[in-house]
């Protein structure tokens, strides 16, 4: 069975399956300007497929070749091992936060970071929804409990920024709770930085049609369907709501101690390589091989100020 999300700017419905296979229900009208999207259809409309790679004003015309990607990835992963050994030797604590749109490739990018790292020193944190006890705690408390010990790197696959994104857009928190979070997050991160934690924040973004193609591909791949949640099914009809929420989040929580960088991820291969390059350049580990790291693509990894000055997150148009 499927849910239909009808739009005020289009007579065609966005159709997504109900995760519990319940009977179809009416959805509130959402303003959008794309053609119909049916996640259960065997194939997507040609208009969506044709627009996907360039959606969100993506700067490249062609995908990176796999051979080039493999050639560039190996020396980067060797550099990551150097970074890990340096962190262990000097008791460094490193936190890398991955936020972004559903389907933007956060999990795949994290997997390339950790692929050849010692799992006892490189830990991935992907928290589920809070328990009743956690809901009664200070909001940051369960995230603070996951901070690294000396010599450890922690990768957050989504983080405390849920409050500024999904919780806000889906109505899981009150507006005043979001406002309080946006005021308090820089203070929380400032405490971490002053205590010696190296905090790197990456926001992965994709265009609307690219998000459609990736969610559609997940639905039709039995090995990846587990990645889809009821919230993912809302990401298309609420695309513009997320854009506005993310722009405010990036603007208000990027600080000198913990700046945001945006990773344009329509091309997963370019995104992974340049996310790793950015992290390697941010950490002053010993025996860094600049030639192996290569040149950071500044059209892929963008300081948040420049990203917002250029219009910020795309909206459906």
């Amino acid at each position: 069975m499927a849910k239909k999300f009808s739009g005020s700017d289009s007579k065609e419905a966005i159709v997504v399956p109900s995760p519990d296979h319940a009977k179809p229900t009416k959805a509130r009208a959402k303003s959008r300007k794309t053609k119909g999207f049916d996640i259960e259809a065997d194939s997507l409309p040609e208009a969506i497929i044709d627009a996907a790679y360039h959606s969100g004003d993506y700067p490249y015309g062609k995908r990176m070749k796999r051979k080039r990607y493999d050639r560039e990835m190996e020396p980067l992963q060797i550099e990551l091992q150097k970074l890990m050994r340096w962190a262990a030797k000097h008791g460094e604590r490193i936190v890398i936060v991955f936020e972004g749109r559903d389907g933007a490739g956060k999990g795949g990018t994290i997997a390339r970071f950790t692929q050849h790292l010692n799992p006892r020193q490189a830990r991935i944190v992907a928290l589920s929804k809070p328990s009743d006890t956690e809901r009664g705690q200070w909001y940051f408390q369960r995230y603070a409990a996951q901070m690294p010990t000396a010599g450890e790197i922690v990768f957050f696959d989504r983080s405390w920024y849920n409050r500024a994104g999904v919780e806000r857009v889906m109505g899981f928190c009150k507006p005043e709770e979001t406002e309080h979070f946006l005021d308090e997050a820089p203070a929380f991160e400032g405490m971490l930085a002053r205590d010696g934690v190296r905090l790197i924040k990456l926001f992965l973004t994709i265009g609307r049609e690219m998000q459609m193609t990736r969610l559609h591909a997940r639905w039709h791949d039995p090995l990846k369907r587990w990645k889809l949640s009821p919230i993912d099914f809302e990401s298309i009809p609420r695309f513009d709501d997320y854009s506005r929420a993310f722009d405010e989040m990036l603007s208000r929580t990027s600080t000198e101690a913990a700046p945001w960088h945006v990773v344009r991820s329509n091309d997963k291969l370019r995104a992974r390589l340049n996310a790793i390059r950015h992290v390697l350049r941010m950490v002053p580990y010993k025996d860094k091989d600049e030639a192996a790291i290569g040149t950071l693509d500044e059209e892929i990894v963008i300081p948040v100020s420049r990203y917002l000055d250029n219009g910020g997150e795309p909206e459906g148009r």
Side-chain angles (χ1 to χ4, degrees), residues 82 118 160:
K82 291 183 186 178
N118 186 336
W160 46 96

Side-chain angles (χ1 to χ4, degrees), residues 165-178:
V166 64
E167 290 186 20
R168 177 182 190 172
V169 172
M170 296 298 294
F172 297 156
C173 65
K174 298 176 182 178
E176 54 267 29
E177 290 177 316
T178 299

Side-chain angles (χ1 to χ4, degrees), residues 132-198:
D132 290 341
T133 299
E134 289 170 333
R135 279 194 288 270
Q137 295 173 344
W138 174 49
Y139 177 74
F140 294 99
Q141 187 167 338
R142 69 187 192 129
Y143 298 104
Q146 298 293 333
M147 289 300 150
T149 189
E152 189 178 31
I153 302 176
V154 171
F155 299 83
F156 277 92
D157 187 350
R158 294 198 183 279
S159 67
W160 46 96
Y161 283 101
N162 280 337
R163 175 134 297 179
V166 64
E167 290 186 20
R168 177 182 190 172
V169 172
M170 296 298 294
F172 297 156
C173 65
K174 298 176 182 178
E176 54 267 29
E177 290 177 316
T178 299
E179 184 66 22
H180 182 69
F181 169 83
L182 291 171
D183 286 338
E184 292 299 318
F188 171 66
E189 293 167 1
M191 287 190 292
L192 295 176
R194 287 190 295 274
D195 198 54
V197 174
R198 296 183 184 273

Side-chain angles (χ1 to χ4, degrees), residues 214-234:
R214 291 188 182 173
L215 295 181
H216 181 268
R218 285 182 180 180
W219 179 256
H220 289 273
D221 185 341
L223 298 179
K224 294 182 178 180
R225 190 179 287 192
W226 66 270
K227 294 183 177 182
L228 291 170
S229 72
I231 292 173
D232 293 319
F233 297 137
E234 293 286 342

Side-chain angles (χ1 to χ4, degrees), residues 53 55-61 68 203-206 261-267 270-275 277-278 295-304 306-307 310 312-313:
Y53 189 73
S55 60
D57 297 323
Y58 193 69
Y60 286 100
R68 176 184 169 189
F203 181 86
L204 277 62
T205 187
I206 51 175
H261 283 77
V262 176
V263 182
R264 303 178 78 172
S265 303
N266 279 14
D267 188 331
R270 284 190 170 97
R272 293 167 184 171
L273 290 171
N274 285 285
R277 286 191 179 106
H278 172 71
T295 302
L296 181 71
D297 189 333
E298 296 182 352
E299 292 298 318
I300 298 298
V301 178
I302 308 170
V304 73
R306 178 159 68 90
Y307 186 72
N310 289 337
E313 278 296 279

